[in-house]
Amino acid sequence: MAAVAALAVATRSSRYVAGMSIERARVLTTIFPAFLDALAEGEIAEAHCRTLVEKTRPVTDPVALAAIGRVLLPKAKRLAPGPFAREVAT
């Protein structure tokens, strides 16, 4: 993947970190756009988004993903990343 390699060089990070960044961007723009909006507005942190993407990776049902997003966004806005991660895990 040329994009991963290019991003790794540009950000001086590993290919793994670059790949995860690309995955996170793709998931936020296509599956959880409200989280991306909240991140842009400063209502949540990058850590919230990272946790959301990592913990929901096994879920493939679009209806379930939409429900997860609706339930978790208000929690992300009021919880720090650590407590939010515990909520996502449950």
Side-chain angles (χ1 to χ4, degrees):
M1 296 206 125
V4 172
L7 182 60
V9 170
T11 59
R12 297 180 182 177
S13 64
S14 69
R15 291 174 70 103
Y16 174 79
V17 170
M20 294 303 290
S21 295
I22 290 171
E23 177 194 11
R24 191 166 41 257
R26 182 190 57 76
V27 171
L28 290 176
T29 56
T30 61
I31 299 172
F32 298 115
F35 272 80
L36 185 59
D37 293 341
L39 179 62
E41 293 296 321
E43 297 174 317
I44 62 173
E46 173 69 24
H48 291 98
C49 297
R50 187 173 45 251
T51 297
L52 176 72
V53 172
E54 289 172 4
K55 301 286 187 186
T56 60
R57 191 175 288 126
V59 182
T60 57
D61 178 27
V63 174
L65 288 166
I68 289 168
R70 281 192 306 275
V71 168
L72 290 179
L73 184 57
K75 293 178 181 189
K77 288 180 178 181
R78 74 172 193 274
L79 295 173
F84 176 71
R86 288 188 287 281
E87 282 291 316
V88 176
T90 58

